Amino acid sequence: MRNPEELTFGFIGIGLIGGSVAKALRRVYPGCKIIVYNRGAKPRVMAMNDGTANITVDKVDDTFQECDYIFLCTPVERNVEYLDTLKDIIKKDCIITDVGSVKTNIHESVSKLKMETNFIGGHPMAGSEKTSYEFANDRLLENAYYAVTPTDVVNKSYIEEYTKIISDIGAIPIRITYQEHDRVVAAISHLPHIIASSLVNLVKHNDSDSEYMKTIAAGGFKDITRIASSSPEMWEQICMTNNTNISEMLGLYIDDLKTIQNELDTKNGQAINEMISESRDYRDNLDEHNNSIIQRSYSIFCDIIDESGAIATIATILATNGVSIKNIGIIHNREHEEGVLKISFYDEFSANKAIEQLERHRYKVFKR
């Protein structure tokens, strides 16, 4: 296995994920060389100024000839386009990888271009609602699952080396076929986004002129539909590149919904009880300690007295102690929540620090 400190890593695109991988590599392998291409100039300048990149370029050219690894970190359809360019540039033992959330399309393109010996697919299952290099950080992938989808013919020594690199930056590598990967993410990520969007639109299209649904919707409804606020352009690409798997899972889900509808129509309370009990038990056993392919929400709930300046006081306490708030507001529909005030944060550390500070000031705080 080669010395990682002596490797050269190339990045095609350096947004949130690409930037976070590059920063993590710089942290764990300070002696490595990192070459960066990005269409926009600002991320390139930032990557040079913060010490992440050794070289930045404004086009994909022969500069990438010296790379031992090249990470494709652009939208899933554009990643495929760069393979054509890289085929005639890379050296014989270069490994190309990607960070796309759909793997079939790029694996099929690799096969057509006869580049199987130079490709190992990858998908870091982490992210953030903030998507630019500006918000990349070297710890984003810590404890996040990282799918590794090698071709059948790539040298096993490179698979082992690549897997170790993923482990070294703090992620948890999972070796899986690209076909199984796309079926898995269709069920746990892609379909939930479609369901969330369709559920929001169901409420929108069936609300009365008085908009009581919109007025009362809060708490649980906003939480289970939070991912409906994702980028339409990004999710169009994902849906179009993994349409077969998503359609299969959607069909299975529709069958389940029809079964539930029949149980409601026939007043089969026992079946409803068993369904909710089974789902509760399964969900309660999901791992909460690892990063997720769907970004988690970090919120706390606080009891306050309805008086002038109450929210401002809390905001001041948190700001004084260096805690950044993502959102703050009164919960009017509290059927499923404890606490009058909901405060959301960008990460778990901030949420925990907020609890510590507010409890120190004798506030009653509940954590989701």
Side-chain angles (χ1 to χ4, degrees):
M1 193 172 294
R2 296 172 291 183
N3 180 359
E5 296 278 351
E6 298 175 356
L7 295 178
T8 297
F9 299 94
F11 284 83
I12 311 294
I14 192 164
L16 175 75
I17 299 299
S20 294
V21 174
K23 284 174 177 285
L25 289 171
R26 174 61 67 215
R27 173 173 55 83
V28 299
Y29 308 140
C32 74
K33 188 173 185 178
I34 295 178
I35 301 171
V36 167
Y37 159 77
N38 195 81
R39 283 196 304 170
K42 183 178 178 181
R44 299 197 305 264
V45 173
M46 292 176 68
M48 283 294 292
N49 289 344
D50 67 19
T52 298
N54 300 99
I55 299 173
T56 64
V57 293
D58 59 4
K59 62 181 178 179
V60 179
D61 57 20
D62 289 349
T63 308
F64 286 87
Q65 275 184 339
E66 63 178 295
C67 290
D68 299 292
Y69 285 90
I70 297 176
F71 287 80
L72 299 176
C73 307
T74 65
V76 288
E77 290 182 337
R78 193 164 295 151
N79 281 341
V80 170
E81 297 172 9
Y82 284 111
L83 290 172
D84 265 326
T85 304
L86 291 171
K87 181 178 181 180
D88 297 323
I89 292 176
I90 61 173
K91 61 184 181 179
K92 185 178 179 180
D93 60 350
C94 175
I95 295 297
I96 297 175
T97 185
D98 74 316
V99 298
S101 61
V102 181
K103 304 260 69 80
T104 298
N105 64 324
I106 195 163
H107 271 272
E108 289 179 346
S109 296
V110 164
S111 179
K112 289 177 183 176
L113 292 169
K114 302 187 185 306
M115 298 174 69
E116 296 101 319
T117 58
N118 297 100
F119 187 77
I120 301 174
H123 177 202
M125 297 184 175
S128 169
E129 294 167 357
K130 297 180 175 181
T131 58
S132 65
Y133 181 80
E134 178 180 2
F135 301 105
N137 72 80
D138 63 352
R139 304 283 178 173
L140 181 69
L141 305 183
E142 282 195 345
N143 296 317
Y145 290 120
Y146 199 120
V148 177
T149 63
T151 66
D152 292 334
V153 297
V154 67
N155 192 299
K156 290 184 179 179
S157 66
Y158 293 136
I159 300 174
E160 293 173 3
E161 181 179 78
Y162 178 82
T163 302
K164 185 177 187 304
I165 290 170
I166 298 308
S167 296
D168 285 349
I169 65 175
I172 304 169
I174 296 180
R175 186 169 170 181
I176 186 173
T177 67
Y178 71 85
Q179 298 95 332
E180 182 68 9
H181 168 276
D182 284 0
R183 190 170 186 273
V184 168
V185 295
I188 66 170
S189 175
H190 303 167
L191 181 58
H193 277 82
I194 290 175
I195 292 171
S197 296
S198 64
L199 182 56
V200 170
N201 287 337
L202 175 72
V203 169
K204 176 186 176 182
H205 297 152
N206 291 277
D207 207 351
S208 66
D209 291 339
S210 301
E211 293 192 327
Y212 289 125
M213 290 185 185
K214 181 179 181 181
T215 300
I216 298 174
F221 181 82
K222 287 202 72 175
D223 285 340
I224 66 174
T225 59
R226 176 176 53 86
I227 53 178
S229 297
S230 302
S231 162
E233 293 77 17
M234 180 184 74
W235 279 97
E236 178 187 355
Q237 277 205 9
I238 289 172
C239 288
M240 292 303 99
T241 51
N242 200 25
N243 60 303
T244 301
N245 286 298
I246 298 173
S247 179
E248 177 196 351
M249 290 298 164
L250 181 59
L252 295 171
Y253 184 57
I254 289 170
D255 289 341
D256 281 348
L257 290 178
K258 287 179 177 177
T259 299
I260 296 168
Q261 183 181 41
N262 180 65
E263 289 162 352
L264 291 170
D265 291 341
T266 58
K267 293 190 175 182
N268 188 346
Q270 181 62 33
I272 298 296
N273 182 297
E274 290 173 359
M275 175 196 69
I276 294 174
S277 177
E278 180 183 9
S279 66
R280 178 199 60 195
D281 293 344
Y282 185 81
R283 185 185 184 281
D284 287 349
N285 280 287
L286 294 177
D287 191 350
E288 286 288 341
H289 296 95
N290 293 307
N291 251 325
S292 171
I293 191 171
I294 296 179
Q295 189 66 14
R296 290 178 59 186
S297 173
Y298 303 98
S299 300
I300 65 173
F301 299 83
C302 181
D303 273 341
I304 61 172
I305 298 173
D306 185 9
E307 60 184 13
S308 178
I311 295 179
T313 300
I314 286 180
T316 301
I317 291 171
L318 297 181
T320 301
N321 288 278
V323 180
S324 296
I325 296 174
K326 177 181 176 182
N327 203 356
I328 187 169
I330 297 294
I331 299 296
H332 296 289
N333 181 347
R334 295 195 292 277
E335 284 184 294
H336 306 289
E337 311 293 358
E338 294 179 283
V340 174
L341 186 70
K342 179 179 180 180
I343 315 171
S344 299
F345 305 91
Y346 289 105
D347 52 58
E348 188 172 19
F349 175 81
S350 298
N352 290 336
K353 189 174 180 181
I355 293 173
E356 177 187 342
Q357 294 301 323
L358 292 176
E359 288 182 340
R360 182 175 296 174
H361 286 80
R362 301 187 182 280
Y363 285 97
K364 189 173 183 181
V365 183
F366 308 90
K367 185 177 180 181
R368 182 180 307 285

